[in-house]
Amino acid sequence: MSIMKSQYLKKEITNYNVIPLEVSAMKISNQLYLNIDEIEDFLKYANDSNSNYVYYQYSYYNFEEYIIPKDWYSEYSKEFRTEIRVHNQHIESLDFGSPKSLTLFILQNGTFVGVEIKNHWIENQGIHLAEDTIEFIENKFYCEVKEIIVNKKGQQKKDENQLREIIFIDPEFKLCKNQELRYWYLVELLEKENMKKYDYLVQPPGIPHRGKVKMFMDKTWELFKERKRQYD
């Protein structure tokens, strides 16, 4: 069932001789929901209860959760990108100002007495979140996606080896004899302009004793000691 938008709701509420008040948050512990499906029926109840105010709150779908960002699919084929564009164009044509739900309530002796009216109009059209949609499309292009993943893993391994070789020949690194020193060493190293291309290897970085930087540098330190033993 579609839900009337705010400008029409406020007019409808005033027709029942009560004052509409929109709320941004509801922090009322005592809540009683009525088994009423129609806005007009609840407003009649509010009027019959001699309420001066009807409070209301809308919820909406988030456009950003349904549109697929370009960086998620830019490396795929033309056919793959076409499917994404069709999806995104459809999402852009939708009215995200259409409410997902509407809560109406009055206060009776400090108790929330109200109704919640829902309209799952996105789900009713068979539309899914961006993450689910791109996963479905990736399954259709399984061979292409698999090849890209293999290539990316190969490039990542190559970049990891290159970064470690840079670290191994840096005299400062051998002085970093604990996790915290190694953490800040790598963080500062990757801030250099010519080193930023390796930053993706340790994102998100975490903290000195937990996270991707710590894991990368623990392994790097072990490899460094092993190499040092071989040359000693």
Side-chain angles (χ1 to χ4, degrees):
M1 179 179 69
S2 63
I3 299 171
M4 66 175 66
K5 295 185 178 181
S6 179
Q7 64 268 34
Y8 303 111
L9 176 66
K10 288 188 285 187
K11 184 177 180 180
E12 186 72 14
I13 292 173
T14 56
N15 287 340
Y16 284 82
N17 299 314
V18 285
I19 300 171
L21 289 177
E22 185 172 13
V23 298
S24 58
M26 293 182 290
K27 299 180 180 179
I28 304 170
S29 56
N30 295 326
Q31 297 187 6
L32 176 65
Y33 283 91
L34 304 176
N35 187 22
I36 294 176
D37 297 324
E38 300 291 337
I39 293 174
E40 293 78 6
D41 291 340
F42 177 77
L43 295 179
K44 185 176 184 303
Y45 170 82
N47 179 268
D48 292 344
S49 301
N50 296 317
S51 296
N52 293 321
Y53 303 99
V54 166
Y55 304 89
Y56 67 95
Q57 183 183 50
Y58 284 101
S59 72
Y60 301 89
Y61 290 98
N62 184 351
F63 171 82
E64 298 297 333
E65 293 180 353
Y66 292 87
I67 202 79
I68 299 177
K70 189 173 183 179
D71 60 354
W72 287 16
Y73 63 91
S74 58
E75 60 192 339
Y76 290 124
S77 66
K78 181 179 179 181
E79 292 76 13
F80 190 106
R81 297 196 306 271
T82 297
E83 291 225 14
I84 299 293
R85 280 196 293 270
V86 169
H87 165 81
N88 282 349
Q89 287 170 0
H90 181 49
I91 296 301
E92 289 167 353
S93 73
L94 300 175
D95 178 14
F96 279 83
S98 182
K100 176 182 180 181
S101 71
L102 168 63
T103 300
L104 293 164
F105 68 96
I106 59 175
L107 292 176
Q108 292 183 325
N109 299 320
T111 297
F112 166 116
V113 179
V115 295
E116 184 178 26
I117 299 169
K118 298 181 179 180
N119 178 24
H120 298 297
W121 61 269
I122 283 274
E123 290 85 350
N124 292 341
Q125 294 186 53
I127 298 170
H128 302 282
L129 293 168
E131 294 92 338
D132 298 328
T133 301
I134 197 165
E135 182 178 349
F136 174 77
I137 297 172
E138 285 175 339
N139 287 336
K140 289 178 64 177
F141 291 83
Y142 174 78
C143 292
E144 176 186 340
V145 172
K146 184 178 179 181
E147 182 180 353
I148 289 174
I149 290 173
V150 169
N151 291 339
K152 287 177 72 174
K153 285 184 177 179
Q155 183 61 49
Q156 180 176 336
K157 189 65 178 177
K158 181 180 177 182
D159 288 344
E160 286 177 355
N161 291 337
Q162 287 178 349
L163 177 56
R164 286 195 170 104
E165 288 301 322
I166 293 169
I167 292 172
F168 289 158
I169 63 175
D170 184 355
E172 287 187 30
F173 177 64
K174 65 181 180 181
L175 303 176
C176 301
K177 296 186 177 181
N178 61 54
Q179 288 179 340
E180 185 148 356
L181 288 174
R182 291 193 289 270
Y183 175 88
W184 290 113
Y185 167 85
L186 185 59
V187 168
E188 292 174 7
L189 179 66
L190 295 178
E191 288 176 350
K192 296 179 180 179
E193 194 61 37
N194 63 330
M195 298 298 294
K196 288 182 178 179
K197 64 180 180 179
Y198 299 112
D199 186 63
Y200 81 96
L201 296 171
V202 290
Q203 289 300 321
I207 58 177
H209 303 292
R210 185 174 68 250
K212 288 193 174 182
V213 168
K214 185 257 184 193
M215 292 172 62
F216 181 84
M217 293 306 279
D218 281 354
K219 184 174 181 180
T220 301
W221 185 250
E222 289 302 316
L223 292 172
F224 175 74
K225 290 193 297 181
E226 182 180 327
R227 176 177 291 196
K228 190 171 181 297
R229 284 194 296 268
Q230 290 175 354
Y231 287 100
D232 285 346

